[in-house]
Every structure is written in structure tokens, then in C-alpha cells.
Amino acid sequence: MTMELDVFVGNTTIIDEEVYQLWLDGFSVADAVKMRLENGALGECEVSGEVLHSDTMDQYRTFQMCERLLHCPSKLANQLLFQIPAHHQAMLIERYYEFDHMFAREVLGKKLSKGTKKDLDDISSKTGIALKSCRRQFDNFKRVFKVVEELKGPLAENVQHHFLLSDLLAKDYAAVVFFANSRFETGKKKLQYLSFQDFAFCACQLISYWTVGAVDNMMDDMDVDLEKEFLHDLKDLKVLVNDKDMLDQHKSLVCSQLRGRIRVFTEMEANFKNLSRALINIASKLTNTKDVRDLFIDLVEKFIEPCRSDKWTAGDLTLFLTHYTSTASTLETFRYQVIWERYMGVVKSCILKMYHD
């Protein structure tokens, strides 16, 4: 049987976005063809299954040849092998570096090393994400980390500049890099209810207010490392719980602001000193690397869980943390307002994001 085909010859590389996504998701050519058939590809272009298979294979071959360029996105615009319009180049890059939040949640805070890469089989089984896609996403995390970890300047901007990503995706990568560098504990059972988006929000807060770059944008590694001097100065906040008169005065000021305004006033009044000690003790221990890594589990176990057990609402918590922070700054003998507000601003934001009532 003879088949006639109309052939058009051009030098612009044709990119099928649907097939590209199937390739990124780790599907084989055979599986991709099957999915295209199920989606009605034959009806759209009135071709045989054989032609569809050939087209899919050709697309896959193109993507595989482009992949080495995608590892350094700026090369894609300067190469001559593929004539790809600018808007298609941007799509190829953005989608190649997009990642599944479920996958990111599994590797968040872990070292981006061969040891973690060996766990990808388990992560693939747990999340239902194809192993090939898991490997691509992990390798992208590792590649971005290596490029930006030693650079001066804002972390998200560095990611965006070197990998030509959108603002939102660059910020998500900044969170991954930040967590990988500081190795925050995210895997414990009590933290499993928190999503990647929850942790990414907290990373943004920490980067914006607790890193070296938060106070000096000319420092090396400005957005990757927490500022050691700030963490050391947090020990000074212990006066708020060690000085009995100051603790009592702080409690009195908070209670006067919240009486009649929160449903759990009785529980708050009874537990004020324990809650205050929890927040101050977390702050005072952040000079130790292990305690920095345990920041989120400490916030959950020592503050969020006690509030949850007393059935605080998010609204109750917002009012409490707002007045807990502001009233301390009015205490006559308290001399650490700047450090206090810098610490509590981040802690308040993170707690409210992590508190699912």
C-alpha cells in the first residue's frame, strides 16, 4: 500500500508542547504515543498510528539533543543547531526546570548528594512520579545549588539571572537551595502535614530577615547563610523570661490587650509563661547548628502543639503574637527591641503559616 505525504521543509524547529510535557514526565515513546492516541491526536490530524509514533520519536530525539543546552539555558539562545523562536525557548527552559512540589517536599533540607539520589526509587514509589522525572528534578536542584551557592547578591535573583526562570520559579529554587545549605529538619513525622509551599514561605522570611544579606547586600553568600552575629545576639532575649518582674509585666500587658478579644483567653493566661519561655528558648539556642536545623520541629513541638491542644484558632494566634511582640518593645527595662522585632517578625509569620487549626 502506498502512502502519500505532503512534506514541508523549513529550518524552524517544531516543538509540540504536549509531547514535551510527556517527555519531561518520564514517559517512554510507546507510552507517550498511547497517551496521544487517548487524547485524540489521530482525529486532529488524520494520520496513521505509525506516523504518530514516528512524530513522537522525532520530538523525543529533538528534546534529548536540546537537553545539554538546557543545563545552561543561556546557551540555548546562542546556539545555531536549533532554530527555536524566543517564546518557545522560554517555554522549554521554564518547563524543564519546573518541579513537582510533592517531590521537592521529599528532598527538602536533605544534602543534594549521591546518597540522597539513591533514595529516588523510594521517592518515585511514594509520590507516583516517574523515576526519570525524579532524576531530572533532583539533578536540576543540584545544578542550581552548585551555581548559586557561592555567588554574591540576592539568591532568587541569581537563580533567575543564571537560569532564565520566572520570578515565582526562581523563588521556589531559592527555597530549595536555602534549605539544602542549612539542612533544616523537615522529615520528622510531626512535620509531615506541612507542604513544600509552607516551607518555601518560611524560607523566604528567613532569607529576607535573618541572613547576612538582610543587613548587608555586599557580603558573600548573602542570602544562603544565616547571620551568625544576629543568632548570637538572640541570647540577650532571655532577659524576658529570666527576669521575673519583666516576665510578669509582659504577661500583664498582653492580657490587658487580649481580655475579651480571644476565645482562649483563660488558657492563654494560664500558659503565657510556658509559651513565652518556649519562644525565647528557641531563640537562645540558635547559635548551635543542630538547633538551627531543628527550628521547625521546635516551633511545632514547643509552641504550635500546645496551642492546638487548647484549640486556639488562627485568629487567636494572630492577635496573641501581635501583642506579645509589640508589648515587649514597650517594657521600660528591655533594651533589645531591634533584635526582638527581627526575631519575632519571622517567627510570627512562620508560626501562622504552619498553624493549621
Side-chain angles (χ1 to χ4, degrees), residues 17-18 20-26 67 70-71 73 87-105 107 129-130 132-144 159 163-174 176 196:
E17 294 187 27
E18 179 191 356
Y20 184 51
Q21 191 60 54
L22 292 170
W23 179 72
L24 291 174
D25 289 341
E67 188 165 21
L70 291 168
H71 291 171
H87 70 282
H88 269 150
Q89 290 183 26
M91 180 276 295
L92 288 172
I93 294 166
E94 186 79 1
R95 288 206 191 174
Y96 187 79
Y97 282 92
E98 282 177 351
F99 56 85
D100 294 286
H101 287 177
M102 285 177 62
F103 173 79
R105 179 65 184 85
V107 300
I129 300 167
K132 187 175 180 180
S133 181
C134 288
R135 286 173 177 159
R136 173 183 58 82
Q137 294 178 60
F138 181 82
D139 288 341
N140 285 345
F141 288 166
K142 191 173 180 179
R143 184 180 308 110
V144 172
V159 173
F163 291 92
L164 310 181
L165 306 180
S166 64
D167 288 348
L168 185 60
L169 188 55
K171 287 179 180 177
D172 282 346
Y173 268 97
V176 172
F196 170 77

Side-chain angles (χ1 to χ4, degrees), residues 18-20 22-23 26-43 47-60:
E18 179 191 356
V19 180
Y20 184 51
L22 292 170
W23 179 72
F27 289 102
S28 66
V29 171
D31 288 337
V33 170
K34 183 180 178 182
M35 294 189 73
R36 294 184 76 187
L37 286 169
E38 290 173 354
N39 291 335
L42 288 184
V47 296
S48 69
E50 187 179 344
V51 171
L52 190 66
H53 185 279
S54 178
D55 175 68
T56 304
M57 193 181 307
D58 185 55
Q59 289 277 326
Y60 267 48

Side-chain angles (χ1 to χ4, degrees), residues 144-153 155 158 177 181 219-222 224-225:
V144 172
F145 181 86
K146 284 186 174 181
V147 169
V148 303
E149 67 169 326
E150 299 296 338
L151 294 178
K152 293 182 181 180
L155 188 51
N158 284 337
V177 170
N181 183 69
M219 294 293 288
D220 292 341
D221 306 335
M222 56 174 284
V224 178
D225 296 320

Side-chain angles (χ1 to χ4, degrees), residues 59-118:
Q59 289 277 326
Y60 267 48
R61 192 180 299 115
T62 298
F63 303 146
Q64 286 161 2
M65 288 190 290
C66 284
E67 188 165 21
R68 61 181 179 81
L69 299 171
L70 291 168
H71 291 171
C72 185
S74 60
K75 290 182 178 180
L76 193 61
N78 299 319
Q79 53 81 39
L80 300 176
L81 183 60
F82 302 101
Q83 301 302 308
I84 304 174
H87 70 282
H88 269 150
Q89 290 183 26
M91 180 276 295
L92 288 172
I93 294 166
E94 186 79 1
R95 288 206 191 174
Y96 187 79
Y97 282 92
E98 282 177 351
F99 56 85
D100 294 286
H101 287 177
M102 285 177 62
F103 173 79
R105 179 65 184 85
E106 293 298 318
V107 300
L108 197 64
K110 294 182 179 178
K111 193 173 182 180
L112 300 176
S113 64
K114 290 181 179 179
T116 302
K117 194 167 185 177
K118 291 178 181 177

Side-chain angles (χ1 to χ4, degrees), residues 210 226-241 275-288 291-292 294-295 298-299 302 324 334 339-344 347 351:
W210 285 12
L226 297 174
E227 187 195 355
K228 291 181 180 179
E229 184 178 349
F230 165 67
L231 297 181
H232 181 269
D233 290 343
L234 288 175
K235 287 185 174 182
D236 294 332
L237 300 180
K238 291 198 77 172
V239 67
L240 281 171
V241 291
L275 293 174
S276 186
R277 286 193 181 96
L279 293 175
I280 301 302
N281 286 340
I282 290 171
S284 66
K285 294 194 300 180
L286 288 178
T287 50
N288 300 318
D291 290 307
V292 170
D294 287 343
L295 173 63
D298 285 344
L299 287 174
K302 297 174 182 178
Y324 176 77
F334 185 60
I339 298 169
W340 172 247
E341 290 175 7
R342 186 177 172 189
Y343 170 69
M344 280 304 303
V347 167
I351 287 174

